Amino acid sequence: MDHLNCSYPKNWPLARRKAALEQRARIIRKARQFFSDRGYLEVETPHRIPAPAPESHVDAVPSGRWFLHASPELCMKRMLAAGYEKIFQICRCWREGERGSQHIPEFTLLEWYRVRSDYLALMDECEALIQSLAVGIGQRECVTFRGHRISLASPWEKMTVEEAFHQYAKISAKEALRQDLFDEVMVRDIEPRLGIGKPTFLYDYPPERRSLARLKRDDPTVAERFELYLGGLEIANAFSELVDAEEQRKVFESEIDIRRSLGKEIYPIPEKFLAELDVMPPSAGIALGVDRLAMVLLNATKIDEVVAFTPEEL
Amino acid sequence: MYTASDLKKGLKVAIDNDPYIVTAFEFSKPGKGQALYRTKLKNMITGMTIDRTYREGDTFEPASLEERPMQYLYREGDHYYFMDNQTYEQIIINEDALGDSKNYLIDNLNVKVLMFREKAIGVDLPNFVNLRVIKTEMWVKGDTSKADYKPATVETGYELRIPPFVQEGELITIDTRNGEYSTRVKE
């Protein structure tokens, strides 16, 4: 804080975030290094797109007649289908109405995709990435977040959704879905207990929550999807990608039905994406919230502490 | 009518015809799941607090409260005295019913007293109030080495965190909606 008159700047909340924003920049720089060292190509896909992937609970921010992307996923998968084998992107994304201590409507995602891979391989890569980022900003084996000491030493905890419901809730995942209580139980009983002593991969989601993931070959009652939690906070979401265009179309249609029943805006089916999906090799992909990861590594209680400006400050 | 996305700390809603105030609020969204609005709601009559989780489409009626402009006079033990600006009638509100509002009550502050069935059950404060810092760590002018908040006490006894450059005896503006330091007042 070098000011000519040696007094404090008027915008004190912004000034005091300087150390956090310097660390955030370091995290992003180290992440780029991590992926380029592993032979990933950094790509940039458009922020402004004709329509987002139809997902029941993700609302896009309109931009003229188009939308700001809620994630770069559709464009990045089209690149996989076109022969790009290992790609990553760090970009701004927008989601309407998401604001809270862990949400901000304009946020930063790190997405990476690789062909001939699956969600289990991504768990390992995710683990290696976060370990290297922690070291990169001077943290070692452990991070302290929300009063928990979280050991980053391998191996991290792996727990299926079914096991988590069994262990932490009074209801099975299947029953919770039937009673339409899945999200409430997740938020109240399960999420706060994940990633406490060490990070937790919550994996194998029920097909109703498969999103763009493929079903497990030897057990089609679950989808190959995981979420990573540290200190009760969700950091990343990953899939073994669904590459069957017909099946993907059905998933989109059922998501559209849910949107319709909720009175939400209906997004068109992304036809170009579906047309190219059939030639996409078996792949795995993951989206990691950079702001959230910065919260964990810098022990911030609110997302506001790791961004330069919140919408309320503009 | 309110929808779940209007929920925030301090909002007053009617539940089963009783007035409730939101005392804690958190927006949650489990991965790929729906938006959930988790609240703690205090019954403004009984003082009982309940936990409720709402979904996006849920709607609420505003609590039907009458607002009367009054001035805060003084406090005696748990009793806080206010005077009606029109009738000069004095009323008492208990400390419990005031909740966090008591942190900002300085003599002669204009507030809106909330009446439910002719009974005073709380107050609505201005969004910003000015209060004097009566206790905090000294700061030497020019010392910019301290880059974080420090604890302070203001004239009402309320404790909060303020920037290092604010000195004891200075007047500050506090945002009553979140209880946080807002700016320093030049006198």
Side-chain angles (χ1 to χ4, degrees):
Chain A
M1 255 174 274
D2 302 319
H3 286 266
L4 291 174
N5 60 359
C6 271
S7 68
Y8 277 88
K10 206 160 194 179
N11 192 342
W12 160 254
L14 176 58
R16 74 176 279 274
R17 273 178 227 149
K18 195 173 174 202
L21 295 186
E22 282 167 356
Q23 289 288 55
R24 180 192 168 105
R26 205 163 287 137
I27 291 167
I28 292 173
R29 206 156 58 233
K30 297 282 174 188
R32 286 210 158 86
Q33 191 63 49
F34 177 90
F35 287 106
S36 72
D37 287 351
R38 288 182 169 227
Y40 278 83
L41 174 68
E42 179 164 9
V43 300
E44 291 179 290
T45 60
H47 286 167
R48 196 167 161 274
I49 56 173
E55 290 188 78
S56 14
H57 302 296
V58 176
D59 298 330
V61 175
S63 169
R65 280 194 213 163
W66 285 14
F67 295 90
L68 297 176
H69 69 175
S71 122
E73 144 169 63
L74 294 180
C75 286
M76 289 183 79
K77 286 187 200 169
R78 290 179 65 185
M79 294 186 77
L80 297 180
Y84 295 79
E85 301 203 324
K86 291 170 89 176
I87 51 176
F88 81 100
Q89 175 161 210
I90 298 172
C91 61
R92 287 293 179 145
C93 295
W94 290 261
R95 292 184 191 178
E96 185 79 58
E98 301 196 2
R99 183 69 177 113
S101 62
Q102 315 159 16
H103 292 83
I104 196 157
E106 177 175 345
F107 59 103
T108 302
L109 274 184
L110 158 59
E111 291 210 1
W112 74 96
Y113 292 83
R114 58 190 299 175
V115 297
R116 290 181 297 279
S117 185
D118 66 8
Y119 72 144
L120 297 174
L122 277 184
M123 287 185 193
D124 294 340
E125 201 157 39
C126 200
E127 200 169 307
L129 168 73
I130 293 174
Q131 285 166 344
S132 99
L133 298 181
V135 170
I137 64 157
Q139 308 263 23
R140 292 283 156 181
E141 293 280 277
C142 262
V143 289
T144 301
F145 176 58
R146 289 178 167 174
H148 305 295
R149 264 179 76 76
I150 309 165
S151 163
L152 298 181
S154 299
W156 291 1
E157 184 184 33
K158 294 186 173 92
M159 187 179 248
T160 66
V161 171
E162 193 56 64
E163 285 164 358
F165 271 79
H166 181 74
Q167 188 157 340
Y168 300 127
K170 294 188 191 82
I171 189 170
S172 69
K174 203 171 171 184
E175 188 56 23
L177 279 166
R178 202 185 61 81
Q179 293 185 31
D180 190 21
L181 287 171
F182 188 88
D183 292 333
E184 276 87 352
V185 173
M186 200 62 143
V187 161
R188 189 190 60 215
D189 302 325
I190 298 177
E191 287 191 329
R193 300 192 167 90
L194 302 177
I196 300 305
K198 45 174 51 197
T200 302
F201 291 109
L202 185 67
Y203 72 110
D204 284 359
Y205 277 69
E208 293 86 343
R209 297 299 160 116
R210 68 189 290 190
S211 201
L212 287 77
R214 77 171 180 223
L215 297 179
K216 211 170 180 150
R217 289 220 176 89
D218 51 5
D219 179 10
T221 64
V222 291
E224 293 193 353
R225 169 184 164 201
F226 76 76
E227 298 236 3
L228 171 64
Y229 287 86
L230 277 89
L233 184 63
E234 177 208 334
I235 302 294
N237 176 70
F239 306 136
S240 299
E241 302 294 349
L242 176 57
V243 291
D244 180 324
E246 265 327 291
E247 214 177 318
Q248 181 65 72
R249 180 183 297 277
K250 284 191 193 115
V251 173
F252 282 150
E253 281 166 353
S254 79
E255 297 283 320
I256 287 172
D257 286 344
I258 295 171
R259 291 192 68 84
R260 193 169 285 124
S261 73
L262 294 170
K264 286 170 176 275
E265 179 167 7
I266 303 304
Y267 305 127
I269 300 248
E271 292 296 346
K272 282 183 184 154
F273 164 75
L274 286 182
E276 293 161 23
L277 190 58
D278 272 338
V279 294
M280 182 171 126
S283 307
I286 176 167
L288 182 148
V290 173
D291 314 271
R292 296 250 184 109
L293 181 63
M295 283 174 73
V296 172
L297 295 179
L298 306 178
N299 193 18
T301 41
K302 285 180 170 180
I303 202 164
D304 305 29
E305 295 167 37
V306 298
V307 298
F309 292 92
T310 64
E312 296 79 14
E313 289 166 340
L314 293 175
Chain B
M1 197 169 66
Y2 299 123
T3 65
S5 58
D6 295 319
L7 287 168
K8 60 181 182 212
K9 222 177 141 186
L11 190 79
K12 290 171 274 295
V13 297
I15 300 174
D16 304 330
N17 297 318
D18 271 2
Y20 280 78
I21 182 163
V22 178
T23 55
F25 169 75
E26 182 57 71
F27 174 85
S28 303
K29 201 168 183 204
K32 304 282 176 196
Q34 61 195 311
L36 297 174
Y37 302 80
R38 304 166 75 200
T39 61
K40 280 193 196 302
L41 292 150
K42 185 174 143 189
N43 184 312
M44 296 176 76
I45 298 165
T46 64
M48 297 276 282
T49 295
I50 55 172
D51 291 307
R52 287 272 174 98
T53 299
Y54 295 101
R55 294 183 176 188
E56 208 168 350
D58 291 341
T59 57
F60 310 85
E61 290 303 324
S64 63
L65 300 168
E66 188 204 338
E67 294 176 352
R68 282 200 206 151
M70 294 202 195
Q71 205 173 65
Y72 170 64
L73 296 177
Y74 61 94
R75 151 188 186 192
E76 233 176 53
D78 290 352
H79 292 168
Y80 289 71
Y81 288 78
F82 296 83
M83 183 182 69
D84 191 308
N85 293 354
Q86 271 135 30
T87 64
Y88 304 110
E89 177 199 358
Q90 283 190 22
I91 60 130
I92 298 170
I93 305 180
N94 268 325
E95 184 165 337
D96 286 349
L98 286 173
D100 291 341
S101 303
K102 68 170 189 291
N103 296 333
Y104 316 106
L105 291 176
I106 43 157
D107 297 359
N108 307 324
L109 183 73
N110 285 312
V111 301
K112 286 181 199 139
V113 169
L114 305 170
M115 312 290 294
F116 183 75
R117 294 182 186 140
E118 293 304 306
K119 192 176 177 297
I121 57 167
V123 297
D124 242 4
L125 297 167
N127 288 345
F128 296 98
V129 294
N130 293 341
L131 292 169
R132 200 166 296 282
V133 177
I134 58 161
K135 200 176 140 198
T136 194
E137 224 173 81
M138 251 269 282
W139 176 67
V140 182
K141 200 167 169 61
D143 175 11
T144 53
S145 66
K146 294 184 184 67
D148 214 339
Y149 288 101
K150 61 180 181 180
T153 310
V154 292
E155 55 191 306
T156 56
Y158 175 54
E159 290 171 18
L160 77 165
R161 299 178 320 139
I162 62 173
F165 53 83
V166 179
Q167 303 279 30
E168 214 166 274
E170 286 192 292
L171 201 58
I172 59 169
T173 302
I174 300 178
D175 187 330
T176 61
R177 293 163 294 185
N178 55 24
E180 286 171 15
Y181 166 90
S182 175
T183 54
R184 182 163 52 161
V185 182
K186 284 230 171 74
E187 290 178 275

